Amino acid sequence: MTPDELRSLCLEFNDATEEFPFGPETSVFKVAGKLFALSALDSEPLKVNLKCDPEEAVRLREEHPAIAPGYHMNKRHWNTVTVGELPDRMVRELVEDSYDLVVAGLPKAVRLRLDRP
């Protein structure tokens, strides 16, 4: 997966936006103002921080060397994923899971607006 493909993937979700609060080199993807993905898209190798269920995060880290505790994030809830070392399909699922976790924590009215009860 290329940086452009990762950006497109993150922006295809309802109400997803890209912001640069940490400078122009770090893309922060949000839904309804809440972070669900963070990446320096120009970095080599390409990595992305994604929210994850704590128990699932531990399992993924044990099974995949390309998944580590979230860099500069709450390591219980965030993973850093080295994109090129995992199948694209898995990266897509991890990004979607991160988005869904963030949406699940939003107020009901916002979730309904996003068509994700």
Side-chain angles (χ1 to χ4, degrees), residues 3-115:
D4 286 338
E5 290 170 334
L6 179 61
R7 172 183 278 124
S8 294
L9 170 63
C10 290
L11 291 174
E12 74 183 26
F13 298 102
N14 288 345
D15 201 36
T17 60
E18 180 180 21
E19 300 177 10
F20 301 91
F22 306 117
E25 65 283 342
T26 304
S27 293
V28 175
F29 298 95
K30 295 182 176 182
V31 56
K34 302 291 184 180
L35 172 73
F36 73 92
L38 179 135
S39 178
L41 294 172
D42 293 336
S43 67
E44 292 280 334
L46 178 60
K47 295 182 180 186
V48 61
N49 283 0
L50 299 169
K51 191 163 185 138
C52 191
D53 172 78
E55 290 178 18
E56 180 73 0
V58 171
R59 185 188 67 77
L60 287 167
R61 293 172 197 160
E62 290 172 351
E63 294 178 5
H64 303 280
I67 300 177
Y71 181 70
H72 283 294
M73 306 293 277
N74 179 329
K75 290 163 182 20
R76 183 166 185 260
H77 295 278
W78 291 84
N79 281 334
T80 297
V81 176
T82 304
V83 174
E85 295 180 19
L86 295 172
D88 286 358
R89 180 178 179 171
M90 183 176 187
V91 173
R92 289 178 194 282
E93 289 172 359
L94 292 171
V95 171
E96 184 172 3
D97 289 349
S98 180
Y99 175 88
D100 288 343
L101 274 171
V102 172
V103 168
L106 296 172
K108 184 176 181 179
V110 176
R111 290 195 315 267
L112 292 174
R113 181 177 56 80
L114 296 171
D115 292 329

